[in-house]
Amino acid sequence: MADRVHPAPLLPLSTPPAPPPDNSDAAAENTPLRSTTAAAAPGASYIVHVPKDQVLRVPPPDRARRYRKLAARPARRRMLRRACCGACCALLLLLLLAAAFVGAVYLAFRPRAPSFSVTSLSVAGLLDASPARLDAAVRADNGANRKVGVDYRAGGEVRVSYSGVLLATGRWPAFYQPPRNVTLISMPLTGRDGLALTDDQRARLAEQAAAGAVPLTVEARVPVRVRLGKVLRTWTVDVWARCEVTVDRIDGETTAANRGCTVKAKPLWWWW
């Protein structure tokens, strides 16, 4: 008689392990990498946690050039900043040296502006139809300078006008005026045909001539070069002189009464 077979009791199902707590990421960072030979399922994605102490700080070959460029940028900026600071310091030093040199020259020579005045003025043909003819005598005084000479260059011009109307023009002669010198300059001036005087201006000019007080304006533009001692010379600059004079007549030799002269030369503002 065959033996009777009884079914075996069922074993209890095993429960899966509990999931790790919330700090599993921190524990995974401290856990070393382990190689696995299990084949990855197609289309699956995985997150791999690598500890910070195991991350290599070397850029990949395709980014090495960009890494070197970015790493050299701070050094390049420092070099550019140093170059700019050096150039600014050099420029400031040059300015200080130039200011010290100019101050030393000024204290050594004590330059003063020469003075000008019109001593006499001969007038002819002012109210006639013929061109006006004037002879002006100008006194240039450089007596205030002991070590500074004035070199008057060629190309200067002298103009005489009445109430804004040009009467005659002439040339300023070229000469050198040494220190402590007074020079009297005589200049012939010629006018043009047909003075642009209105009838009112002619009538007023006749009245002033009869009263013995005709106001005229004498203007001069002269290129000069200043000599400081025997070695130093400045560049050539234009000097403008303007004198307001009053003459007692408009025909023949007259006596000019100066009402004031001004001299301007902007490049030599420290002197004029």
Side-chain angles (χ1 to χ4, degrees):
M1 185 175 179
D3 295 333
R4 189 174 183 177
V5 179
H6 298 277
L10 296 177
L11 297 176
L13 296 177
S14 60
T15 59
D22 295 339
N23 57 354
S24 60
D25 295 341
E29 291 184 358
N30 299 326
T31 304
L33 292 177
R34 296 178 181 177
S35 62
T36 175
T37 58
S45 60
Y46 300 90
I47 299 177
V48 180
H49 296 277
V50 181
K52 294 182 178 180
D53 56 349
Q54 297 184 12
V55 177
L56 299 180
R57 299 299 180 181
V58 178
D62 57 338
R63 299 296 181 90
R65 183 177 179 181
R66 180 174 178 81
Y67 174 77
R68 290 194 299 268
K69 182 178 180 180
L70 295 177
R73 184 174 298 178
R76 189 178 306 172
R77 291 180 178 176
R78 287 194 298 269
M79 293 178 60
L80 182 60
R81 191 181 299 112
R82 291 176 182 175
C84 293
C85 292
C88 294
C89 292
L91 180 60
L92 181 60
L93 180 60
L94 290 177
L95 292 178
L96 291 177
L97 292 177
F101 176 75
V102 172
V105 170
Y106 179 82
L107 294 177
F109 293 96
R110 298 286 183 176
R112 295 292 184 272
S115 59
F116 300 93
S117 61
V118 180
T119 57
S120 64
L121 193 64
S122 178
V123 183
L126 190 58
L127 295 178
D128 300 337
S130 59
R133 299 179 303 276
L134 291 84
D135 290 329
V138 180
R139 183 176 182 269
D141 188 357
N142 193 32
N145 292 304
R146 298 181 179 181
K147 302 178 182 180
V148 178
V150 181
D151 189 5
Y152 296 95
R153 315 291 289 181
E157 183 182 8
V158 181
R159 303 159 59 96
V160 178
S161 59
Y162 168 77
S163 297
V165 178
L166 180 63
L167 301 180
T169 60
R171 292 292 180 182
W172 184 283
F175 66 97
Y176 171 70
Q177 188 176 22
R180 294 186 177 182
N181 177 265
V182 178
T183 303
L184 187 62
I185 310 165
S186 180
M187 293 170 292
L189 309 175
T190 56
R192 57 183 181 180
D193 295 335
L195 294 178
L197 292 175
T198 62
D199 295 339
D200 294 339
Q201 290 177 340
R202 290 179 180 274
R204 187 168 62 254
L205 179 60
E207 294 177 359
Q208 293 172 346
V214 179
L216 298 176
T217 302
V218 180
E219 297 175 309
R221 181 195 59 84
V222 186
V224 302
R225 180 179 295 178
V226 180
R227 295 186 184 182
L228 304 173
K230 298 181 179 180
V231 179
L232 298 178
R233 295 184 182 182
T234 64
W235 56 92
T236 302
V237 296
D238 287 339
V239 174
W240 287 268
R242 179 187 178 96
C243 295
E244 301 291 341
V245 299
T246 301
V247 297
D248 56 353
R249 52 188 300 182
I250 57 175
D251 53 346
E253 188 72 21
T254 64
T255 301
N258 289 272
R259 294 182 297 165
C261 294
T262 58
V263 180
K264 294 182 180 180
K266 292 182 179 179
L268 297 179
W269 58 268
W270 51 271
W271 181 32
W272 301 94

PDB file of all heavy atoms in Angstrom, residues 13-42:
ATOM      1  N   LEU A  13       6.185  34.717   4.091  1.00  0.00           N
ATOM      2  CA  LEU A  13       6.880  35.584   3.105  1.00  0.00           C
ATOM      3  C   LEU A  13       7.834  36.541   3.809  1.00  0.00           C
ATOM      4  O   LEU A  13       7.512  37.119   4.844  1.00  0.00           O
ATOM      5  CB  LEU A  13       5.842  36.403   2.316  1.00  0.00           C
ATOM      6  CG  LEU A  13       4.879  35.583   1.440  1.00  0.00           C
ATOM      7  CD1 LEU A  13       3.854  36.498   0.782  1.00  0.00           C
ATOM      8  CD2 LEU A  13       5.632  34.769   0.407  1.00  0.00           C
ATOM      9  N   SER A  14       9.020  36.721   3.158  1.00  0.00           N
ATOM     10  CA  SER A  14      10.035  37.642   3.740  1.00  0.00           C
ATOM     11  C   SER A  14       9.684  39.082   3.367  1.00  0.00           C
ATOM     12  O   SER A  14       9.327  39.364   2.223  1.00  0.00           O
ATOM     13  CB  SER A  14      11.424  37.291   3.225  1.00  0.00           C
ATOM     14  OG  SER A  14      11.464  37.405   1.819  1.00  0.00           O
ATOM     15  N   THR A  15       9.795  39.956   4.311  1.00  0.00           N
ATOM     16  CA  THR A  15       9.512  41.396   4.081  1.00  0.00           C
ATOM     17  C   THR A  15      10.759  42.089   3.555  1.00  0.00           C
ATOM     18  O   THR A  15      11.887  41.754   3.957  1.00  0.00           O
ATOM     19  CB  THR A  15       9.083  42.054   5.398  1.00  0.00           C
ATOM     20  OG1 THR A  15      10.121  41.893   6.335  1.00  0.00           O
ATOM     21  CG2 THR A  15       7.792  41.408   5.905  1.00  0.00           C
ATOM     22  N   PRO A  16      10.585  43.009   2.646  1.00  0.00           N
ATOM     23  CA  PRO A  16      11.771  43.753   2.122  1.00  0.00           C
ATOM     24  C   PRO A  16      12.383  44.608   3.196  1.00  0.00           C
ATOM     25  O   PRO A  16      11.715  45.012   4.148  1.00  0.00           O
ATOM     26  CB  PRO A  16      11.184  44.601   0.991  1.00  0.00           C
ATOM     27  CG  PRO A  16       9.742  44.778   1.339  1.00  0.00           C
ATOM     28  CD  PRO A  16       9.324  43.500   2.041  1.00  0.00           C
ATOM     29  N   PRO A  17      13.683  44.859   3.056  1.00  0.00           N
ATOM     30  CA  PRO A  17      14.349  45.712   4.068  1.00  0.00           C
ATOM     31  C   PRO A  17      13.786  47.123   4.076  1.00  0.00           C
ATOM     32  O   PRO A  17      13.352  47.643   3.058  1.00  0.00           O
ATOM     33  CB  PRO A  17      15.811  45.695   3.631  1.00  0.00           C
ATOM     34  CG  PRO A  17      15.779  45.382   2.182  1.00  0.00           C
ATOM     35  CD  PRO A  17      14.608  44.463   1.987  1.00  0.00           C
ATOM     36  N   ALA A  18      13.810  47.749   5.249  1.00  0.00           N
ATOM     37  CA  ALA A  18      13.276  49.110   5.406  1.00  0.00           C
ATOM     38  C   ALA A  18      14.157  50.126   4.639  1.00  0.00           C
ATOM     39  O   ALA A  18      15.375  49.955   4.565  1.00  0.00           O
ATOM     40  CB  ALA A  18      13.217  49.487   6.889  1.00  0.00           C
ATOM     41  N   PRO A  19      13.553  51.148   4.070  1.00  0.00           N
ATOM     42  CA  PRO A  19      14.364  52.167   3.358  1.00  0.00           C
ATOM     43  C   PRO A  19      15.244  52.927   4.318  1.00  0.00           C
ATOM     44  O   PRO A  19      14.936  53.036   5.504  1.00  0.00           O
ATOM     45  CB  PRO A  19      13.290  53.069   2.731  1.00  0.00           C
ATOM     46  CG  PRO A  19      12.096  52.898   3.577  1.00  0.00           C
ATOM     47  CD  PRO A  19      12.116  51.472   4.058  1.00  0.00           C
ATOM     48  N   PRO A  20      16.378  53.437   3.818  1.00  0.00           N
ATOM     49  CA  PRO A  20      17.293  54.189   4.700  1.00  0.00           C
ATOM     50  C   PRO A  20      16.665  55.485   5.154  1.00  0.00           C
ATOM     51  O   PRO A  20      15.741  55.986   4.520  1.00  0.00           O
ATOM     52  CB  PRO A  20      18.509  54.442   3.812  1.00  0.00           C
ATOM     53  CG  PRO A  20      17.985  54.396   2.417  1.00  0.00           C
ATOM     54  CD  PRO A  20      16.875  53.382   2.436  1.00  0.00           C
ATOM     55  N   PRO A  21      17.121  56.016   6.250  1.00  0.00           N
ATOM     56  CA  PRO A  21      16.567  57.303   6.745  1.00  0.00           C
ATOM     57  C   PRO A  21      16.901  58.442   5.790  1.00  0.00           C
ATOM     58  O   PRO A  21      17.553  58.270   4.778  1.00  0.00           O
ATOM     59  CB  PRO A  21      17.236  57.467   8.116  1.00  0.00           C
ATOM     60  CG  PRO A  21      18.472  56.636   8.031  1.00  0.00           C
ATOM     61  CD  PRO A  21      18.133  55.469   7.146  1.00  0.00           C
ATOM     62  N   ASP A  22      16.454  59.638   6.193  1.00  0.00           N
ATOM     63  CA  ASP A  22      16.620  60.823   5.325  1.00  0.00           C
ATOM     64  C   ASP A  22      18.064  61.195   5.126  1.00  0.00           C
ATOM     65  O   ASP A  22      18.413  61.835   4.140  1.00  0.00           O
ATOM     66  CB  ASP A  22      15.855  62.018   5.931  1.00  0.00           C
ATOM     67  CG  ASP A  22      14.369  61.730   5.927  1.00  0.00           C
ATOM     68  OD1 ASP A  22      13.952  60.866   5.150  1.00  0.00           O
ATOM     69  OD2 ASP A  22      13.662  62.392   6.719  1.00  0.00           O
ATOM     70  N   ASN A  23      18.971  60.861   6.043  1.00  0.00           N
ATOM     71  CA  ASN A  23      20.382  61.255   5.914  1.00  0.00           C
ATOM     72  C   ASN A  23      21.163  60.236   5.112  1.00  0.00           C
ATOM     73  O   ASN A  23      22.366  60.062   5.297  1.00  0.00           O
ATOM     74  CB  ASN A  23      21.008  61.437   7.296  1.00  0.00           C
ATOM     75  CG  ASN A  23      20.869  60.171   8.133  1.00  0.00           C
ATOM     76  OD1 ASN A  23      20.210  59.228   7.708  1.00  0.00           O
ATOM     77  ND2 ASN A  23      21.478  60.183   9.332  1.00  0.00           N
ATOM     78  N   SER A  24      20.457  59.542   4.227  1.00  0.00           N
ATOM     79  CA  SER A  24      21.161  58.555   3.406  1.00  0.00           C
ATOM     80  C   SER A  24      22.100  59.221   2.425  1.00  0.00           C
ATOM     81  O   SER A  24      23.112  58.651   2.045  1.00  0.00           O
ATOM     82  CB  SER A  24      20.151  57.691   2.670  1.00  0.00           C
ATOM     83  OG  SER A  24      19.328  58.506   1.831  1.00  0.00           O
ATOM     84  N   ASP A  25      21.765  60.473   1.980  1.00  0.00           N
ATOM     85  CA  ASP A  25      22.659  61.177   1.043  1.00  0.00           C
ATOM     86  C   ASP A  25      23.994  61.483   1.683  1.00  0.00           C
ATOM     87  O   ASP A  25      25.052  61.329   1.072  1.00  0.00           O
ATOM     88  CB  ASP A  25      22.000  62.486   0.581  1.00  0.00           C
ATOM     89  CG  ASP A  25      20.750  62.195  -0.236  1.00  0.00           C
ATOM     90  OD1 ASP A  25      20.633  61.059  -0.710  1.00  0.00           O
ATOM     91  OD2 ASP A  25      19.916  63.119  -0.380  1.00  0.00           O
ATOM     92  N   ALA A  26      23.969  61.932   2.951  1.00  0.00           N
ATOM     93  CA  ALA A  26      25.228  62.219   3.635  1.00  0.00           C
ATOM     94  C   ALA A  26      26.032  60.953   3.841  1.00  0.00           C
ATOM     95  O   ALA A  26      27.265  60.946   3.733  1.00  0.00           O
ATOM     96  CB  ALA A  26      24.941  62.897   4.980  1.00  0.00           C
ATOM     97  N   ALA A  27      25.335  59.840   4.150  1.00  0.00           N
ATOM     98  CA  ALA A  27      26.075  58.589   4.320  1.00  0.00           C
ATOM     99  C   ALA A  27      26.626  58.107   2.993  1.00  0.00           C
ATOM    100  O   ALA A  27      27.710  57.525   2.918  1.00  0.00           O
ATOM    101  CB  ALA A  27      25.156  57.537   4.936  1.00  0.00           C
ATOM    102  N   ALA A  28      25.874  58.358   1.901  1.00  0.00           N
ATOM    103  CA  ALA A  28      26.353  57.907   0.590  1.00  0.00           C
ATOM    104  C   ALA A  28      27.582  58.672   0.158  1.00  0.00           C
ATOM    105  O   ALA A  28      28.440  58.142  -0.540  1.00  0.00           O
ATOM    106  CB  ALA A  28      25.234  58.059  -0.433  1.00  0.00           C
ATOM    107  N   GLU A  29      27.706  59.972   0.559  1.00  0.00           N
ATOM    108  CA  GLU A  29      28.893  60.735   0.201  1.00  0.00           C
ATOM    109  C   GLU A  29      30.135  60.179   0.847  1.00  0.00           C
ATOM    110  O   GLU A  29      31.233  60.261   0.287  1.00  0.00           O
ATOM    111  CB  GLU A  29      28.706  62.206   0.605  1.00  0.00           C
ATOM    112  CG  GLU A  29      27.656  62.919  -0.232  1.00  0.00           C
ATOM    113  CD  GLU A  29      27.583  64.367   0.141  1.00  0.00           C
ATOM    114  OE1 GLU A  29      28.331  64.766   1.066  1.00  0.00           O
ATOM    115  OE2 GLU A  29      26.784  65.097  -0.472  1.00  0.00           O
ATOM    116  N   ASN A  30      30.000  59.631   2.048  1.00  0.00           N
ATOM    117  CA  ASN A  30      31.157  59.079   2.754  1.00  0.00           C
ATOM    118  C   ASN A  30      31.405  57.620   2.413  1.00  0.00           C
ATOM    119  O   ASN A  30      32.346  57.014   2.918  1.00  0.00           O
ATOM    120  CB  ASN A  30      30.966  59.214   4.275  1.00  0.00           C
ATOM    121  CG  ASN A  30      30.833  60.663   4.678  1.00  0.00           C
ATOM    122  OD1 ASN A  30      31.457  61.527   4.061  1.00  0.00           O
ATOM    123  ND2 ASN A  30      30.025  60.937   5.691  1.00  0.00           N
ATOM    124  N   THR A  31      30.546  57.038   1.617  1.00  0.00           N
ATOM    125  CA  THR A  31      30.724  55.632   1.245  1.00  0.00           C
ATOM    126  C   THR A  31      31.547  55.545  -0.019  1.00  0.00           C
ATOM    127  O   THR A  31      31.256  56.226  -0.996  1.00  0.00           O
ATOM    128  CB  THR A  31      29.361  54.979   1.014  1.00  0.00           C
ATOM    129  OG1 THR A  31      28.568  55.134   2.188  1.00  0.00           O
ATOM    130  CG2 THR A  31      29.524  53.489   0.679  1.00  0.00           C
ATOM    131  N   PRO A  32      32.639  54.741  -0.052  1.00  0.00           N
ATOM    132  CA  PRO A  32      33.476  54.658  -1.253  1.00  0.00           C
ATOM    133  C   PRO A  32      32.712  54.004  -2.371  1.00  0.00           C
ATOM    134  O   PRO A  32      31.753  53.250  -2.184  1.00  0.00           O
ATOM    135  CB  PRO A  32      34.664  53.817  -0.790  1.00  0.00           C
ATOM    136  CG  PRO A  32      34.157  53.009   0.338  1.00  0.00           C
ATOM    137  CD  PRO A  32      33.146  53.874   1.029  1.00  0.00           C
ATOM    138  N   LEU A  33      33.174  54.319  -3.582  1.00  0.00           N
ATOM    139  CA  LEU A  33      32.538  53.752  -4.764  1.00  0.00           C
ATOM    140  C   LEU A  33      32.838  52.255  -4.853  1.00  0.00           C
ATOM    141  O   LEU A  33      33.930  51.806  -4.530  1.00  0.00           O
ATOM    142  CB  LEU A  33      33.058  54.465  -6.022  1.00  0.00           C
ATOM    143  CG  LEU A  33      32.639  55.928  -6.179  1.00  0.00           C
ATOM    144  CD1 LEU A  33      33.286  56.516  -7.418  1.00  0.00           C
ATOM    145  CD2 LEU A  33      31.131  56.048  -6.255  1.00  0.00           C
ATOM    146  N   ARG A  34      31.855  51.510  -5.297  1.00  0.00           N
ATOM    147  CA  ARG A  34      32.027  50.054  -5.479  1.00  0.00           C
ATOM    148  C   ARG A  34      31.659  49.694  -6.918  1.00  0.00           C
ATOM    149  O   ARG A  34      30.665  50.161  -7.453  1.00  0.00           O
ATOM    150  CB  ARG A  34      31.129  49.286  -4.503  1.00  0.00           C
ATOM    151  CG  ARG A  34      31.496  49.531  -3.033  1.00  0.00           C
ATOM    152  CD  ARG A  34      30.542  48.775  -2.127  1.00  0.00           C
ATOM    153  NE  ARG A  34      30.867  49.015  -0.727  1.00  0.00           N
ATOM    154  CZ  ARG A  34      30.154  48.521   0.288  1.00  0.00           C
ATOM    155  NH1 ARG A  34      29.098  47.759   0.038  1.00  0.00           N
ATOM    156  NH2 ARG A  34      30.505  48.765   1.543  1.00  0.00           N
ATOM    157  N   SER A  35      32.457  48.954  -7.474  1.00  0.00           N
ATOM    158  CA  SER A  35      32.204  48.522  -8.848  1.00  0.00           C
ATOM    159  C   SER A  35      31.114  47.473  -8.844  1.00  0.00           C
ATOM    160  O   SER A  35      31.003  46.648  -7.951  1.00  0.00           O
ATOM    161  CB  SER A  35      33.486  47.956  -9.466  1.00  0.00           C
ATOM    162  OG  SER A  35      33.912  46.829  -8.745  1.00  0.00           O
ATOM    163  N   THR A  36      30.313  47.492  -9.840  1.00  0.00           N
ATOM    164  CA  THR A  36      29.230  46.524  -9.965  1.00  0.00           C
ATOM    165  C   THR A  36      29.276  45.925 -11.349  1.00  0.00           C
ATOM    166  O   THR A  36      29.662  46.588 -12.312  1.00  0.00           O
ATOM    167  CB  THR A  36      27.877  47.180  -9.699  1.00  0.00           C
ATOM    168  OG1 THR A  36      26.862  46.236  -9.938  1.00  0.00           O
ATOM    169  CG2 THR A  36      27.663  48.386 -10.614  1.00  0.00           C
ATOM    170  N   THR A  37      28.950  44.685 -11.417  1.00  0.00           N
ATOM    171  CA  THR A  37      28.974  43.966 -12.697  1.00  0.00           C
ATOM    172  C   THR A  37      27.592  43.712 -13.226  1.00  0.00           C
ATOM    173  O   THR A  37      27.422  43.095 -14.269  1.00  0.00           O
ATOM    174  CB  THR A  37      29.700  42.627 -12.524  1.00  0.00           C
ATOM    175  OG1 THR A  37      29.040  41.863 -11.524  1.00  0.00           O
ATOM    176  CG2 THR A  37      31.135  42.863 -12.118  1.00  0.00           C
ATOM    177  N   ALA A  38      26.586  44.247 -12.499  1.00  0.00           N
ATOM    178  CA  ALA A  38      25.221  44.029 -12.951  1.00  0.00           C
ATOM    179  C   ALA A  38      24.945  44.867 -14.166  1.00  0.00           C
ATOM    180  O   ALA A  38      25.355  46.031 -14.235  1.00  0.00           O
ATOM    181  CB  ALA A  38      24.236  44.367 -11.835  1.00  0.00           C
ATOM    182  N   ALA A  39      24.292  44.315 -15.105  1.00  0.00           N
ATOM    183  CA  ALA A  39      23.982  45.026 -16.353  1.00  0.00           C
ATOM    184  C   ALA A  39      22.862  46.017 -16.083  1.00  0.00           C
ATOM    185  O   ALA A  39      21.892  45.710 -15.393  1.00  0.00           O
ATOM    186  CB  ALA A  39      23.561  44.027 -17.436  1.00  0.00           C
ATOM    187  N   ALA A  40      23.062  47.244 -16.623  1.00  0.00           N
ATOM    188  CA  ALA A  40      22.045  48.272 -16.440  1.00  0.00           C
ATOM    189  C   ALA A  40      20.867  48.006 -17.329  1.00  0.00           C
ATOM    190  O   ALA A  40      21.012  47.577 -18.477  1.00  0.00           O
ATOM    191  CB  ALA A  40      22.630  49.643 -16.730  1.00  0.00           C
ATOM    192  N   ALA A  41      19.730  48.248 -16.782  1.00  0.00           N
ATOM    193  CA  ALA A  41      18.515  48.059 -17.569  1.00  0.00           C
ATOM    194  C   ALA A  41      18.424  49.124 -18.630  1.00  0.00           C
ATOM    195  O   ALA A  41      18.761  50.292 -18.382  1.00  0.00           O
ATOM    196  CB  ALA A  41      17.308  48.101 -16.651  1.00  0.00           C
ATOM    197  N   PRO A  42      18.017  48.756 -19.822  1.00  0.00           N
ATOM    198  CA  PRO A  42      17.917  49.763 -20.887  1.00  0.00           C
ATOM    199  C   PRO A  42      16.874  50.816 -20.544  1.00  0.00           C
ATOM    200  O   PRO A  42      15.779  50.503 -20.097  1.00  0.00           O
ATOM    201  CB  PRO A  42      17.512  48.928 -22.104  1.00  0.00           C
ATOM    202  CG  PRO A  42      16.856  47.704 -21.548  1.00  0.00           C
ATOM    203  CD  PRO A  42      17.566  47.417 -20.267  1.00  0.00           C
TER     204      PRO A  42
END
